[in-house]
Amino acid sequence: MKLLIVGCGSIGRRHAKNARKLGLDVVLCDVNEERLLDLAAETGAIGCYADYKIAAKQSGADAAVIATPSHLHVAPASSMLEAGMHIMMEKPLCSSVAEANELKRMVVDAKRVFMMAHTFRFRNEWREVKRLLDERPIGRMFSAELIGGWYLPDWHYREDYRREYAAQWKQGGGVMLTSMSHFFDVVAWLFGDIKEVVGAKMRLGLLEIDVDDAVTCVVKTSSGVAVTLYEDFLARCPRRSIRVNGEHGYLEADFNRGLWKIWDVRTKRCLPEHTSAQANLFKVLEDGVAYNLEPDVFPLQCSGNDAYLSELKHFVSLLNGNALETDLGIDAGIEVLKAIGSDGIVDWANTRMN
Ligand SMILES: NC(=O)c1ccc[n+]([C@@H]2O[C@H](COP(=O)([O-])OP(=O)(O)OC[C@H]3O[C@@H](n4cnc5c(N)ncnc54)[C@H](O)[C@@H]3O)[C@@H](O)[C@H]2O)c1
């Protein structure tokens, strides 16, 4: 099988190397010649193109991975579909639902496999959280909090962050499109369809960027769980966590520390007459119920490249089965875009907050 990688930057390079690990032939396309030739030498690519339209016509590839900056996903995907290729599309699908619907029409007509690269669904840690939640260890779930943050200049620290697509409005950057898109997909996966979103895109920090550097949202889901999301480009100490609050307590995962925790009221709550033997209990009132606030903590195995490898393997298995309907199809990308473009999200990012 011949796989064309369009965009050989950070993620395209990873996909190209993983494709070789899976024994696929690789063809590369990038406007940056040096990047193209370096990756071709590293992966033994059997073809190189600087222009995606020419690659579509001449490469003879069976499928393409679209890994160009976020504002430039639809045009190359359309060319590849016209050339009869299947598509694995990097997230976010694009920047507007209207553009996404156009592409959906092409996908349906072309009868080709289309898979969103929603990588979190292939990460061990998120799969483990889903498995745990599906067992309902804290009873009925009421609410969840997903929090993420990393400092944009530390991302590719050898490069000027101001030139990253993530830093630029015209390239589809900003926290909402770059990072929150993962969270919205995870919310739908863990808690059911997204029914409503309210929130704000903000610019709080001192980075020299023209996009939102922080986003906060509250999401109403079809399961009735209310989810609060926060993510930014400003956190000097990187963080990514989820906490789910339910009938019997909470379940929490700290992905950067590789831990998950559970706190269950059925083992952590003491009535006043039984508290004397236990030290360090928290009391709501002097003579009231006491709580051991410490959760039970367990290690969480977190993914690295294995998640991207599983994602690509999954794409190849869809191609082999010619699976046109999948839960990671174009609708998964459109659901995320609808959440991102929700009328309930106000845009305070045009001006700094201070
Ligand atoms: N699924 C994930 O976990 C994940 C992780 C990182 C990035 N992404 C997504 O992947 C996309 C790319 O991100 P990145 O970090 O690799 O960006 P990047 O800037 O490192 O790479 C983009 C590449 O596309 C090339 N390019 C630009 N215009 C082109 C054109 N017309 N034809 C061919 N190549 C062109 C650039 O030269 C560059 O090499 C973004 O949409 C991003 O959101 C997804």
Side-chain angles (χ1 to χ4, degrees):
M1 187 180 295
K2 206 192 267 188
L3 185 69
L4 169 65
I5 311 287
V6 188
C8 300
S10 169
I11 196 75
R13 181 183 157 79
R14 185 184 288 283
H15 289 312
K17 286 171 37 180
N18 284 341
R20 295 297 295 130
K21 282 188 190 147
L22 297 181
L24 308 182
D25 287 331
V26 165
V27 183
L28 304 175
C29 172
D30 201 295
V31 286
N32 181 326
E33 192 183 354
E34 191 184 337
R35 205 169 262 190
L36 187 64
L37 296 180
D38 282 354
L39 188 60
E42 197 177 342
T43 57
I46 57 171
C48 283
Y49 296 88
D51 183 325
Y52 68 79
K53 290 184 182 152
I54 296 176
K57 289 194 180 119
Q58 296 183 0
S59 67
D62 304 287
V65 173
I66 308 299
T68 36
S70 302
H71 73 298
L72 188 66
H73 284 178
V74 169
S78 306
S79 296
M80 302 315 152
L81 285 168
E82 272 169 22
M85 293 180 210
H86 305 280
I87 306 283
M88 184 166 101
M89 175 68 100
E90 264 310 340
K91 62 85 218 167
L93 177 53
C94 55
S95 18
S96 83
V97 175
E99 203 186 3
N101 283 334
E102 282 278 301
L103 184 64
K104 182 175 172 176
R105 272 190 282 281
M106 285 195 74
V107 171
V108 172
D109 290 346
K111 295 192 173 53
R112 288 292 178 272
V113 172
F114 188 98
M115 182 186 130
M116 285 304 305
H118 284 169
T119 316
F120 280 27
R121 296 206 202 185
F122 297 90
R123 302 193 75 92
N124 287 328
E125 60 274 30
W126 286 96
R127 282 174 178 246
E128 181 63 359
V129 166
K130 178 161 174 53
R131 192 190 66 73
L132 289 164
L133 291 178
D134 286 348
E135 289 175 359
R136 295 283 180 272
I138 48 165
R140 191 186 166 97
M141 297 184 283
F142 300 137
S143 65
E145 296 141 29
L146 275 80
I147 297 183
W150 41 275
Y151 187 56
L152 182 64
D154 281 352
W155 197 15
H156 296 132
Y157 76 96
R158 288 194 184 86
E159 290 159 34
D160 181 349
Y161 74 90
R162 292 168 295 195
R163 300 179 64 187
E164 299 267 4
Y165 73 90
Q168 299 180 52
W169 179 81
K170 65 179 190 319
Q171 291 206 47
V175 171
M176 185 60 109
L177 280 169
T178 307
S179 309
M180 224 22 136
S181 50
H182 279 302
F183 272 179
F184 281 127
D185 180 58
V186 159
V187 167
W189 184 47
L190 296 181
F191 305 113
D193 292 345
I194 293 175
K195 294 290 177 200
E196 222 174 308
V197 186
V198 293
K201 296 197 283 183
M202 299 166 278
R203 195 131 59 93
L204 304 175
L206 302 173
L207 297 176
E208 293 176 49
I209 60 181
D210 66 354
V211 288
D212 46 301
D213 61 15
V215 176
T216 189
C217 293
V218 182
V219 180
K220 188 173 161 189
T221 63
S222 58
S223 64
V225 178
V227 188
T228 307
L229 307 173
Y230 176 82
E231 176 99 43
D232 68 27
F233 282 170
L234 305 170
R236 296 312 309 256
C237 180
R239 58 179 178 156
R240 179 161 284 151
S241 64
I242 181 171
R243 170 169 161 149
V244 182
N245 308 296
E247 207 181 339
H248 304 307
Y250 69 84
L251 188 140
E252 191 172 308
D254 181 335
F255 300 111
N256 291 359
R257 291 198 181 86
L259 298 171
W260 73 272
K261 306 169 190 179
I262 189 161
W263 189 95
D264 190 324
V265 72
R266 290 166 292 188
T267 57
K268 303 286 182 183
R269 174 180 179 268
C270 295
L271 295 178
E273 50 271 34
H274 299 129
T275 55
S276 56
Q278 295 196 48
N280 298 326
L281 293 181
F282 171 77
K283 284 187 182 176
V284 178
L285 288 173
E286 204 44 30
D287 60 346
V289 174
Y291 299 89
N292 173 354
L293 296 181
E294 295 307 317
D296 298 327
V297 183
F298 304 92
L300 183 65
Q301 205 202 351
C302 294
S303 281
N305 184 53
D306 57 308
Y308 296 95
L309 204 54
S310 303
E311 180 180 72
L312 195 55
K313 258 189 207 163
H314 185 69
F315 179 56
V316 172
S317 74
L318 294 178
L319 299 193
N320 289 335
N322 201 29
L324 301 184
E325 298 288 333
T326 87
D327 59 357
L328 274 176
I330 193 163
D331 284 336
I334 293 176
E335 278 315 297
V336 168
L337 286 185
K338 281 185 183 159
I340 287 175
S342 168
D343 287 344
I345 300 173
V346 294
D347 191 349
W348 293 334
N350 292 325
T351 48
R352 284 194 189 282
M353 300 284 287
N354 50 15

